[in-house]
Amino acid sequence: METKLGICKEVYLIRTFLYGIPPWKDNANLFIEDLKFAKVSVRVYHPKVPSAGRRRGVLYLHGGVGQIGSIGKTSNSVVVCVGYRLAPEHPYPTQFLDCLTATVHFMTTAEDYGVDPTRIIICGDSSGGTLAAAVCQTLVSRTDLPKARAQILLYPFLQAVDFNLPSYQQNGSVPLLLKKRTITLGMQYLNQDLSLMKGILEGSHVPEDLKLKFSKWLSPDNIPMEFKIRGYKPSASATYSEELYTLAKPVFETTFSPLLAEDAIVRQLPETFILTCEYDVVRDDGLLYKKRLEDNGIPVTWYHLEDGFHGALFLIDYGYISFPCGKRAMKNVVNFIKDL
């Protein structure tokens, strides 16, 4: 009970940090409005500087954090931050459904906010990157909506099949996202018992037929050798557990693990920006998705922070603490948006 209580406290602490800081630096340059998009809470950042025509729209799947508004200010875009309902109170797939609902609403009402509906970019960081990738995959079959102009995935979590990729081995104890914390938060997200964590870490939840199917997309052989130099040892095959597979089955859904989408979906995705960080357990998720996209003919702009860590973008805009790597990353994100 104490372990679970501690983890719940950690979830709420992280949430307070991510969602509780007011966007005070942006007030002078942006109109900020809290609205509902089809019952989903959103915060809209609109540049105060007049525009000759309709602006780009950036749908940000994270929350109303200050640096998000700065994207709108520096790229002259309207930014919509989606305040999707959070786990553990609202288990998966509530978050995905809220994000999809808000995205569809924005795409169909974009002109009301001075946005060109053909220039909407879907963006997310960390688990928000999961949601952004999943929403973009879902939208490829929506012929009733404009096509997303691009997707921006900032150190995204993209698969729950293999937690022994090089980046997990190298960075398992590196803040801010530890290896065990990654799976702990995932279990909270799915409303599953934390006793599953050991088996999932070892890969006992993956049956042989799925290992074979996913190996072409998740093989460490697809990761450039330069990312194995800091250490990598192929893991031994885990003993399969039917019970664990049944309990953990949602992790194989593409709304939870977008890296597992079929090629027929991937080849229809929009132009993509991917940010990876060297000292980050999910670095290799981004590298593997980059390869999948490129193999399917999707233009990819990739920026790798050699001195970066998970969450670096959170720490650039409040004045409390600042890391140059986060500022460089944000500059590259903004430049990508401005070129669209």
Side-chain angles (χ1 to χ4, degrees):
M1 180 69 180
E2 289 181 2
T3 301
K4 290 186 177 181
L5 181 61
I7 288 166
C8 284
K9 285 182 178 178
E10 179 181 52
V11 168
Y12 298 130
L13 178 63
I14 292 170
R15 181 185 304 176
T16 299
F17 174 67
L18 296 181
Y19 296 94
I21 304 174
W24 58 273
K25 283 196 174 185
D26 297 313
N27 288 339
N29 301 287
L30 298 163
F31 295 109
I32 302 174
E33 191 174 12
D34 291 325
L35 301 171
K36 294 283 188 179
F37 279 8
K39 297 185 179 180
V40 178
S41 297
V42 300
R43 175 170 287 166
V44 181
Y45 296 85
H46 202 295
K48 290 183 178 179
V49 177
S51 175
R54 292 194 178 100
R55 289 184 162 96
R56 303 173 203 83
V58 179
L59 195 92
Y60 202 98
L61 304 184
H62 197 281
V65 187
Q67 85 271 14
I68 306 311
S70 71
I71 291 179
K73 177 178 62 180
T74 54
S75 70
N76 192 31
S77 304
V78 174
V79 178
V80 175
C81 295
V82 180
Y84 53 84
R85 289 171 290 173
L86 302 172
E89 301 95 322
H90 304 281
Y92 167 89
T94 302
Q95 297 72 28
F96 166 74
L97 295 174
D98 281 358
C99 289
L100 181 61
T101 296
T103 302
V104 171
H105 181 93
F106 188 44
M107 285 185 155
T108 55
T109 62
E111 294 182 0
D112 295 344
Y113 303 93
V115 170
D116 182 343
T118 68
R119 300 174 73 200
I120 291 177
I121 303 151
I122 300 173
C123 177
D125 66 276
S126 192
S127 60
T130 317
L131 293 166
V135 166
C136 280
Q137 290 179 2
T138 301
L139 291 177
V140 300
S141 62
R142 292 290 300 264
T143 57
D144 58 318
L145 296 171
K147 296 292 184 184
R149 177 62 184 85
Q151 61 177 340
I152 297 175
L153 310 177
L154 309 173
Y155 35 78
F157 171 91
L158 296 172
Q159 59 86 29
V161 174
D162 189 348
F163 291 99
N164 287 292
L165 292 169
S167 60
Y168 275 102
Q169 291 188 18
Q170 296 164 7
N171 305 310
S173 300
V174 176
L176 296 170
L177 188 63
L178 309 180
K179 180 176 180 177
K180 288 186 178 180
R181 182 178 294 158
T182 304
I183 301 178
T184 296
L185 294 175
M187 293 299 95
Q188 290 274 338
Y189 189 53
L190 295 173
N191 200 28
Q192 291 287 357
D193 194 278
L194 297 177
S195 64
L196 305 182
M197 189 165 68
K198 183 177 184 295
I200 290 177
L201 273 170
E202 296 171 349
S204 297
H205 62 305
V206 189
E208 287 301 320
D209 60 327
L210 291 185
K211 282 184 183 178
L212 181 62
K213 176 181 179 180
F214 299 148
S215 63
K216 60 183 177 181
W217 301 330
L218 299 180
S219 171
D221 293 340
N222 293 336
I223 298 169
M225 186 58 64
E226 64 192 271
F227 295 102
K228 301 173 186 175
I229 293 174
R230 290 199 294 119
Y232 170 64
K233 182 180 179 180
S235 56
S237 183
T239 302
Y240 171 62
S241 167
E242 181 74 30
E243 180 183 8
L244 187 57
Y245 166 71
T246 301
L247 291 171
K249 205 169 183 178
V251 306
F252 301 108
E253 297 172 3
T254 54
T255 48
F256 192 91
S257 296
L259 191 49
L260 306 183
E262 298 292 338
D263 285 341
I265 298 295
V266 175
R267 69 173 60 106
Q268 298 181 69
L269 290 171
E271 181 177 353
T272 302
F273 178 99
I274 296 178
L275 172 70
T276 55
C277 298
E278 179 62 28
Y279 300 98
D280 183 4
V281 290
V282 298
R283 178 197 68 199
D284 293 347
D285 286 20
L287 296 176
L288 291 169
Y289 203 44
K290 170 182 177 288
K291 185 179 189 310
R292 287 213 62 201
L293 290 163
E294 291 174 338
D295 287 349
N296 281 277
I298 306 302
V300 177
T301 298
W302 171 53
Y303 187 68
H304 180 66
L305 286 173
E306 294 183 354
D307 56 345
F309 56 92
H310 196 90
L313 284 174
F314 295 144
L315 304 175
I316 66 171
D317 213 28
Y318 300 114
Y320 309 131
I321 189 169
S322 179
F323 290 89
C325 64
K327 292 183 178 180
R328 294 198 310 273
M330 185 60 74
K331 181 179 179 180
N332 276 268
V333 170
V334 170
N335 288 342
F336 175 78
I337 293 172
K338 289 168 74 172
D339 287 341
L340 295 174

